[in-house]
Amino acid sequence: MKDFWLSCGHHLLDREAGGGLVVTDEFLKVYLARPELTPPAEACVVEKTLHAALLADPRRVVAPAEIAAIADADARENWQVMIAFRDRLTRHKTLEAAYLDIVRTGAKVPHIFLNQLVHVILRNALDGCDDPFVLRAGELFFRTQRMTLHEGALIAADEETISGTSGVPVSPLVSMLGIPPEAEIDIMSDDNADHYFAHSDLFHVALDLTAGRRGGAALAEAMRRWIGHMLGIDVQIEPLTELREARLTWYVGLDGEGSRIGDLLWNGEELDEATAARVVGLFRLTFPEPGLVIEKVRGEPVYLILAMNDDKLLRFKPQNLVTGLPVRHLEAVT
């Protein structure tokens, strides 16, 4: 089996009988290696002592007074955020359960931490997948994409990679694995797709999301696997080339702009040309088991709407797929 996304740290985690990811001390220590938490030479003795103690025992109870005694205000804030996040992860049986708790309760978690959770959980959901197109489509779940028209095709490229802002790795694992900070961008095709596995942590492959092409189907499959893993339900997702005369009984915006467009359609408004041009993908989701769906939607499809913003950025929100579906049974992971 080909491995991929090593930088998410999935190899540092255990798995419980149901397939969920179980937090380990090794995984927690990666957070302690982040530059925000590694005490600089001028740090006070309290901060250095706390950091050393947690490296020895990452699950050690940290009293609020210990953090309050740290001299630097920014360091105090970083430690408060980190310990709160660590405690949230460790009080759940699996990372999947912790993620569900975060998105359902609206807990305040740094965006970078949430994306890292999605990264490693989706790696688990896609374990064994050998389709590079599906894996590349999965990158949309946790990395912002910049959309552009290229020779009539709608292309998604990693925003950090093409903007040159990825010189400082967001994860210490990237440095540990020796991954270079910059890479050339190429569009995934049948000719180069197999190379994805050797370079999956570079995020330097663009994806064609033009309606009716392979990228849309690949994203549909990634979403299907995500829903199945998180909610334990089987769904079918079909990419569409257009949305005509559809009964919009239920819809899910896959990002902020998609939600706004869905609201317009729900209220019977016509999309102007500029708004319609922002739509990146339309999908029809159906439930093979009607009994899983609330009565209002039973027998009707759910439409998924993906769109870019005014700056042509695409910020996918995978949490909408686990909080926005009209299903009765929501407890797949604990």
Side-chain angles (χ1 to χ4, degrees), residues 137-159:
E139 292 180 21
L140 272 66
F141 282 55
F142 54 91
R143 292 185 69 89
T144 299
Q145 305 292 305
R146 179 171 290 280
M147 306 304 301
T148 186
L149 282 173
H150 176 70
E151 298 180 354
L154 186 60
I155 305 299
D158 189 271
E159 166 64 7

Side-chain angles (χ1 to χ4, degrees), residues 70-91:
I70 295 174
D72 184 77
D74 289 338
R76 287 198 301 271
E77 182 179 2
N78 289 339
W79 279 108
Q80 287 168 348
V81 169
M82 177 56 209
I83 295 303
F85 181 66
R86 180 205 65 174
D87 291 347
R88 184 176 291 276
L89 295 186
T90 55
R91 70 170 169 257

Side-chain angles (χ1 to χ4, degrees), residues 201-234:
D201 289 287
L202 291 175
F203 306 113
H204 71 319
V205 179
L207 183 66
D208 185 350
L209 287 176
T210 308
R213 296 186 182 175
R214 191 167 177 178
L219 181 55
E221 174 62 11
M223 291 190 290
R224 186 191 70 80
R225 289 189 178 225
W226 172 257
I227 293 169
H229 184 72
M230 297 304 299
L231 301 181
I233 58 176
D234 182 34

Side-chain angles (χ1 to χ4, degrees), residues 32-107:
L32 297 173
R34 291 190 62 85
E36 301 92 334
L37 294 178
T38 302
E42 66 274 15
C44 69
V45 66
V46 175
E47 184 181 358
K48 291 180 178 179
T49 301
L50 176 60
H51 187 261
L54 285 169
L55 282 176
D57 179 9
R59 299 172 193 263
R60 174 184 177 275
V61 175
V62 178
E66 292 183 76
I67 298 177
I70 295 174
D72 184 77
D74 289 338
R76 287 198 301 271
E77 182 179 2
N78 289 339
W79 279 108
Q80 287 168 348
V81 169
M82 177 56 209
I83 295 303
F85 181 66
R86 180 205 65 174
D87 291 347
R88 184 176 291 276
L89 295 186
T90 55
R91 70 170 169 257
H92 290 279
K93 183 179 178 182
T94 64
L95 284 185
E96 286 85 349
Y99 175 79
L100 284 179
D101 177 59
I102 290 169
V103 300
R104 287 176 178 170
T105 62

Side-chain angles (χ1 to χ4, degrees), residues 243 246-251 261-263 265-267 301 303 305:
L243 195 62
R247 285 185 57 186
L248 213 63
T249 306
W250 199 280
Y251 66 93
I261 290 173
D263 291 344
L265 295 173
W266 176 268
N267 292 316
Y303 292 96
I305 305 170

Side-chain angles (χ1 to χ4, degrees), residues 218-292:
L219 181 55
E221 174 62 11
M223 291 190 290
R224 186 191 70 80
R225 289 189 178 225
W226 172 257
I227 293 169
H229 184 72
M230 297 304 299
L231 301 181
I233 58 176
D234 182 34
V235 298
Q236 296 173 352
I237 303 179
E238 171 192 6
L240 306 174
T241 56
E242 59 182 356
L243 195 62
R244 287 184 178 272
E245 299 179 2
R247 285 185 57 186
L248 213 63
T249 306
W250 199 280
Y251 66 93
V252 174
L254 297 176
D255 57 275
E257 187 64 19
S259 296
R260 188 183 74 83
I261 290 173
D263 291 344
L264 293 174
L265 295 173
W266 176 268
N267 292 316
E269 298 184 32
E270 292 288 332
L271 301 184
D272 58 41
E273 185 176 344
T275 301
R278 294 192 189 103
V279 176
V280 172
L282 294 168
F283 304 85
R284 181 167 50 220
L285 181 151
T286 54
F287 298 88
E289 297 182 41
L292 294 174

